[in-house]
Amino acid sequence: MSDNDTKKPTGDAQTPPKGAPTDTPAAKIGPEPSNPPAGAKMDSPPAAHSGPTGTPPPKPAAPAGGPPPKPQPKNPGFVTAVIDGKEVVVKPGTNMIEAAKTVGSEIPYYCYHPRLSIAANCRICLIEASNAPKLVPACQTPMAEGQVIKTTTPKVKEQQRAVMEFLLLNHPVDCSICDQAGECKLQDYYMKYNYKPSRLEGSKALKHKRKVLGPRVVLDQERCIICTRCVRFMNEVPKEPQLGVFGRGSHERIDVFPGNELDSNYSLNTVDVCPVGALLSRDFRFKARAWFLSATPSVCTGCSRGCNISADWMSQDTYRYRPRENEAINKSWMCDQGRLSYKDLNVGRVLTARVGRGLQAPGTVQPAVGRKDATAGAAKALKPLVGSKQLAVLASPLASNEDLLAGLTFAKKVLGVTSVFVGGRPQGKADHYLMTADKNPNRQGLALIAKGLGLSLKGFEELTPAINAGQVKALYAVGTEVPTDAAAFAEVVAKLEVFVAQAQNDSPVTAQATVLLPAAAHIEDEGTFTQQDGITQRFRKAYPPKGDAAPHWKWAAELTRELGGEAAHASARDVWRALSGQVSEFAEFNWDKASPPDREKPGINPLPSGADGRPPGYREFGAPRVRGI
């Protein structure tokens, strides 16, 4: 395992001002004020002079035309100002955009991002400030004591309209085929701040329409507004400067440096930060309209980092993962490998139960088996082996804590095992920022649960010799992911007399199962993962399980009842409430309060609203009827 596996990302790209607090993104941006507030301290105080005998010396008078005395802070340690007639109290170093959000005033912006350095080149955030003779960029200017800011005056509105007109002069306006439609700030701001026809006479400047920057990103240079967010992101966050600004004037463009390509493992974050439809994911391009997608807060299962994500889905298909903000784990970013790991949710799924090995004679069809019959078949096969040393259990660290609590409790109390073999994905490569070498999202949770239940964990490498030696003749698997070649392990498990497997995806291993039970993916149920640093995180359910699939905990409960035990779990929440008390590390985790909101915070990556008026996340109720709405 790489040393980077245990390092948390540092996250923010810009150094905060000297003396400024750093516990919020708003406090980490902007330089020191370039325009001193009214009443700046004079270089030297005026000289005192004596009055007549017996009378106190008169107070020094301010020089004619000099600045008034500096006002004392109304709230010591904070900056107190007025925005659109409302008093605001913020921490020193907070810029005007973030301060305005606290009182409900919206200042439009394109180039500004709270985790990137300040460029101040789009100019749409110019507003009026009492201590400046001209309009000032709200993204670049920190708040000053006693400042009065106005964001809705005719002068500001005309500036916003003029900037929008300038940005749209050479824009192709191909919204009907643009993937960003529905999430585009050009569309939003045009309707709010401009809404007027173009006055351009003549043809627009033409640029490269489909510039492939790398294996995962394509650029439409005509749509680009040169906000430079992508350039700053690559320079400052992954620290891989692969993009630059080339040309001058109307022919200025974003591009890769000659002879290079955008092949960073964080290249798709440039698509997220792009406020228009210039940078596009080659994987998601032309796949779905944003307003048809619902978004569910979840956790990435690509590695043990546990990046927070929003899973965008329609019907019972997941279309993309997007990073969701979490200051302690992934800030606002995620790696490309984790972002593309959603594909296993859509293809190669185990959707029906099966009794009997899957390798049938040519021309024969495996008969379909209902869930009740499959449960009865699995219980019948396992019952003679209860308490036997020839029965082993394989647990996957891809399963949620709720799945493992129910599955391992069944293994210990009903099957009578005392040890568990650990499966999961093989180790991979780590990188310098977020991605870890351990490709399993819940290895830490598996270790904590096994410890709490009094089960010992054995390495996967011990299982194959035990099967080959005849010490293990039956295997119950909660997940069939293995850290070795699946085809080679399939030849080993073919020697087993009983192999009951709960599996999410088809593989050579599942083909050898004597009873195969289809397992739901994490996106099809709610639950928790415990990432590598011991942080337990909740994720929500997006859509119902496909086919006859059911969560691992539900199969374990049904098998428990079939074998004469008691299991009254009706939901993942019930499993947590009933069984998590055995794990001391879970004692302080509040399952209900830790649930992420079903909608993102206003002003932070706002989700598109549904075409029919329903908010994202509420467009599908129950089993979806057909693809789409």
Side-chain angles (χ1 to χ4, degrees):
M1 183 179 294
S2 169
D3 292 339
N4 291 321
D5 289 0
T6 58
K7 293 181 180 179
K8 292 184 180 180
T10 54
D12 299 303
Q14 184 172 348
T15 305
K18 184 177 181 180
T22 58
D23 58 340
T24 61
K28 301 176 184 179
I29 52 181
E32 295 292 335
S34 56
N35 298 307
K41 180 181 284 188
M42 294 183 293
D43 292 336
S44 58
H49 58 277
S50 301
T53 305
T55 61
K59 294 182 179 179
K70 182 178 180 180
Q72 294 298 318
K74 185 176 181 181
N75 298 284
F78 294 87
V79 174
T80 305
V82 176
I83 300 178
D84 292 336
K86 301 175 184 177
E87 185 177 271
V88 58
V89 180
V90 295
K91 296 180 180 180
T94 303
N95 66 30
M96 295 177 176
I97 289 179
E98 298 295 339
K101 289 179 182 179
T102 65
V103 293
S105 294
E106 179 187 357
I107 300 177
Y109 58 86
Y110 285 115
C111 65
Y112 168 72
H113 191 284
R115 297 195 185 276
L116 300 178
S117 60
I118 304 298
N121 58 8
C122 74
R123 314 310 285 178
I124 198 172
C125 70
L126 296 180
I127 50 90
E128 283 193 65
S130 60
N131 59 345
K134 300 187 296 183
L135 298 181
V136 298
C139 64
Q140 192 180 41
T141 313
M143 298 294 295
E145 181 69 27
Q147 208 172 31
V148 178
I149 294 172
K150 298 178 181 179
T151 68
T152 57
T153 62
K155 187 176 181 181
V156 172
K157 289 183 177 180
E158 172 57 23
Q159 165 70 17
Q160 293 166 345
R161 187 210 62 77
V163 170
M164 284 302 303
E165 182 181 22
F166 171 73
L167 293 178
L168 289 169
L169 278 180
N170 288 307
H171 193 80
V173 197
D174 50 358
C175 304
S176 58
I177 64 167
C178 180
D179 273 352
Q180 194 80 358
E183 299 174 315
C184 179
K185 302 313 290 184
L186 270 178
Q187 289 180 331
D188 296 344
Y189 288 165
Y190 170 76
M191 300 300 292
K192 190 168 184 178
Y193 301 110
N194 188 11
Y195 203 60
K196 292 184 179 180
S198 174
R199 295 182 291 174
L200 177 67
E201 295 180 359
S203 60
K204 297 189 176 189
L206 302 180
K207 301 178 184 178
H208 204 310
K209 194 69 179 168
R210 290 171 292 277
K211 172 73 174 181
V212 176
L213 298 182
R216 292 174 291 276
V217 179
V218 61
L219 169 65
D220 187 327
Q221 292 177 343
E222 291 184 351
R223 298 175 185 168
C224 181
I225 61 172
I226 315 294
C227 71
T228 68
R229 275 187 178 186
C230 55
V231 178
R232 284 177 282 141
F233 168 79
M234 292 304 300
N235 290 351
E236 298 165 7
V237 180
K239 302 188 186 305
E240 298 174 305
Q242 298 177 347
L243 294 175
V245 182
F246 302 87
R248 290 291 184 272
S250 296
H251 296 280
E252 195 173 30
R253 67 195 185 278
I254 299 292
D255 207 341
V256 291
F257 291 102
N260 296 330
E261 64 175 0
L262 184 60
D263 57 359
S264 167
N265 192 33
Y266 296 89
S267 64
L268 286 172
N269 288 282
T270 63
V271 178
D272 292 332
V273 300
C274 182
V276 297
L279 289 165
L280 300 170
S281 165
R282 298 179 68 181
D283 174 71
F284 180 72
R285 193 166 178 245
F286 300 142
K287 294 290 178 64
R289 280 301 192 186
W291 52 78
F292 288 143
L293 296 176
S294 295
T296 299
S298 190
V299 175
C300 177
T301 59
C303 74
S304 60
R305 175 72 65 187
C307 293
N308 286 215
I309 63 168
S310 291
D312 292 346
W313 54 276
M314 178 170 59
S315 185
Q316 283 180 295
D317 286 327
T318 302
Y319 280 79
R320 63 179 178 179
Y321 284 167
R322 293 179 295 118
R324 184 165 52 91
E325 191 165 358
N326 187 311
E327 191 72 21
I329 295 177
N330 61 307
K331 303 296 182 182
S332 301
W333 323 114
M334 68 182 299
C335 71
D336 291 358
Q337 179 174 308
R339 193 186 293 262
L340 299 177
S341 64
Y342 75 90
K343 296 187 177 182
D344 286 342
L345 305 176
N346 301 332
V347 297
R349 294 289 302 276
V350 177
L351 300 179
T352 57
R354 188 187 72 232
V355 176
R357 297 192 187 274
L359 302 177
Q360 302 294 317
T364 61
V365 178
Q366 185 75 16
V369 179
R371 284 178 49 181
K372 186 174 181 180
D373 293 336
T375 304
K380 182 179 179 180
L382 293 172
K383 191 171 184 178
L385 296 162
V386 170
S388 171
K389 292 184 179 181
Q390 294 181 334
L391 174 62
V393 172
L394 176 66
S396 172
L398 272 73
S400 69
N401 286 325
E402 291 71 18
D403 292 336
L404 293 172
L405 281 168
L408 298 190
T409 298
F410 165 71
K412 178 184 179 182
K413 293 187 176 181
V414 179
L415 298 183
V417 301
T418 58
S419 60
V420 175
F421 292 94
V422 180
R425 297 173 182 148
Q427 291 286 98
K429 292 182 178 180
D431 67 14
H432 62 288
Y433 189 43
L434 289 176
M435 189 174 71
T436 67
D438 185 1
K439 303 306 176 184
N440 301 280
N442 203 28
R443 187 179 297 277
Q444 187 74 5
L446 173 57
L448 295 177
I449 292 169
K451 175 186 173 184
L453 296 178
L455 294 170
S456 62
L457 293 180
K458 294 184 177 181
F460 180 81
E461 65 279 359
E462 300 179 38
L463 180 57
T464 297
I467 295 175
N468 289 332
Q471 299 173 3
V472 173
K473 294 185 178 180
L475 182 65
Y476 168 66
V478 181
T480 56
E481 297 84 8
V482 293
T484 185
D485 181 61
F489 184 66
E491 296 179 0
V492 176
V493 295
K495 303 173 183 178
L496 294 171
E497 297 175 4
V498 176
F499 181 24
V500 177
Q502 298 170 188
Q504 174 183 317
N505 292 88
D506 278 315
S507 70
V509 176
T510 60
Q512 297 293 345
T514 57
V515 180
L516 180 62
L517 307 176
H522 78 287
I523 207 74
E524 298 167 348
D525 193 32
E526 56 183 348
T528 59
F529 289 125
T530 302
Q531 54 99 250
Q532 64 171 14
D533 298 315
I535 302 174
T536 300
Q537 304 182 97
R538 271 288 309 273
F539 56 85
R540 282 181 173 267
K541 177 180 179 179
Y543 46 80
K546 294 184 177 182
D548 292 333
H552 288 292
W553 64 260
K554 195 165 191 176
W555 286 117
E558 291 183 5
L559 288 172
T560 299
R561 291 190 290 267
E562 195 71 26
L563 288 171
E566 293 184 4
H569 317 313
S571 66
R573 182 176 182 268
D574 291 343
V575 174
W576 181 269
R577 289 170 63 90
L579 303 177
S580 64
Q582 302 174 75
V583 183
S584 59
E585 289 80 0
F586 293 159
E588 296 182 359
F589 182 78
N590 190 311
W591 201 87
D592 293 316
K593 290 186 178 180
S595 177
D598 55 359
R599 297 190 68 185
E600 298 184 22
K601 295 179 182 178
I604 301 176
N605 297 324
L607 296 173
S609 60
D612 56 358
R614 285 178 287 174
Y618 287 90
R619 300 181 194 153
E620 306 282 357
F621 291 92
R625 302 180 301 278
V626 294
R627 184 181 180 88
I629 297 178

